Amino acid sequence: MKVAALQSVLYWQDAQKNRDYFSGLIADNGDADLIVLPEMFTSGFSMQAEAITEPADGPTLPWMQALAEKHDCAITGSVAVNDGARYVNRMYWVTPEDYTYYDKRHLFRMAGEHNHYHPGKSRKIVEFRGLRFCLQVCYDLRFPVFSRNRDDYDVLIYVANWPEPRRHAWSSLLTARAIENLSFVIGVNRVGEDGNGIPYSGDSAIIDFKGQPLASGRPHEPESLRATLDKDALMAFREKFPAMLDADAFTLNTD
């Protein structure tokens, strides 16, 4: 499967400008099977939920659907959404045929995200063209129990606005998640500076199931990372090194 991870700048709280920008990037990578955008890609990581959220049915969702159909690919990334009586950080997963979503479970307390958005409860696994994907958002990366592979996915995706001062944690944890879960990992982070003056270095990566990079983003530079995910190689390694058979059983309480 061909993957394109779009490490990009974001225009602060300007949804239309961001959609226009990503329309061009998606067209440039239209031969990919999967295109991954950053967290809150229509606004940047803003806590002004009342000002930036949009209804669950648009306008970003139909925009994603039209592009997924046009380029015959899956597109994913998160958007600030007003879901009736609550605000959520919603990661849409859109294919030419349908869509689903995952609402960010772990809200970033240090920025007050938990005071402005409602947490999701259940993780989301989706299947597309022979691979199974687990959808995660930014701060979820710090909580390995939530992302533990129960032999139910092949690829972990993290979309993020992860600030530059903690870039070492971002890169280290992406690699750890790949190794411990015997899974490909796609981590897509933004670059530039947001409306609060917070810098982002990107450091996006596509990593294989051994923790080896398939593609790495240049710090501070917008770019499209490209890689091919080889399911046969993944399955062969899991058969040779079935560490998941020795994993501890547990029950996850998300109440």
Side-chain angles (χ1 to χ4, degrees):
M1 174 177 288
K2 293 185 291 186
V3 174
L6 306 188
Q7 176 172 291
S8 48
V9 298
L10 297 179
Y11 298 99
W12 186 246
Q13 299 185 169
D14 192 334
Q16 187 59 55
K17 192 170 184 178
N18 282 306
R19 283 192 294 267
D20 291 345
Y21 170 61
F22 281 112
S23 290
L25 293 180
I26 290 169
D28 291 343
N29 292 277
D31 62 327
D33 297 292
L34 169 62
I35 298 175
V36 186
L37 315 182
E39 177 185 22
M40 286 194 178
F41 68 84
T42 59
S43 61
F45 191 61
S46 171
M47 297 301 101
Q48 298 179 41
E50 296 84 355
I52 67 166
T53 52
E54 62 182 67
D57 59 354
T60 300
L61 178 58
W63 170 83
M64 294 176 74
Q65 290 174 308
L67 287 172
E69 183 174 356
K70 178 180 179 179
H71 299 291
D72 190 31
C73 66
I75 302 173
T76 190
S78 92
V79 180
V81 168
N82 182 346
D83 187 8
R86 62 181 189 172
Y87 303 124
V88 292
N89 186 343
R90 176 160 292 176
M91 184 176 179
Y92 282 117
W93 173 271
V94 181
T95 74
E97 293 78 28
D98 57 16
Y99 80 93
T100 188
Y101 61 85
Y102 158 71
D103 289 339
K104 185 178 182 182
R105 166 67 177 166
H106 300 95
L107 302 179
F108 190 53
R109 178 178 304 276
M110 282 62 81
E113 188 179 12
H114 65 302
N115 292 324
H116 301 280
Y117 296 91
H118 189 85
K121 289 189 174 182
S122 301
R123 69 182 194 173
K124 175 69 70 171
I125 309 292
V126 296
E127 187 168 355
F128 184 66
R129 295 181 180 171
L131 285 171
R132 300 166 298 169
F133 299 83
C134 181
L135 308 182
Q136 305 267 283
V137 179
C138 203
Y139 192 43
D140 288 331
L141 179 60
R142 288 186 177 267
F143 302 93
V145 174
F146 190 66
S147 64
R148 174 71 67 83
N149 195 344
R150 304 178 190 180
D151 197 23
D152 57 356
Y153 67 79
D154 308 306
V155 186
L156 262 172
I157 301 179
Y158 290 97
V159 300
N161 276 214
W162 194 286
E164 181 180 10
R166 293 183 292 279
R167 61 188 299 200
H168 177 70
W170 163 257
S171 297
S172 300
L173 292 173
L174 287 175
T175 301
R177 296 295 89 83
I179 294 170
E180 70 194 10
N181 291 300
L182 299 178
S183 168
F184 293 106
V185 168
I186 303 168
V188 181
N189 191 26
R190 65 160 295 177
V191 294
E193 188 175 285
D194 70 16
N196 294 315
I198 297 173
Y200 300 84
S201 57
D203 301 300
S204 302
I206 304 172
I207 303 169
D208 77 5
F209 40 85
K210 297 180 184 179
Q212 297 296 322
L214 299 175
S216 300
R218 293 169 295 175
H220 305 287
E221 295 290 333
E223 65 176 311
S224 299
L225 282 65
R226 300 293 299 261
T228 298
L229 308 185
D230 186 338
K231 183 179 180 180
D232 290 340
L234 170 64
M235 294 298 106
F237 184 74
R238 286 179 175 176
E239 184 175 351
K240 180 181 179 181
F241 194 81
M244 286 185 288
L245 296 180
D246 299 311
D248 301 303
F250 66 94
T251 301
L252 184 64
N253 184 357
T254 56
D255 292 336

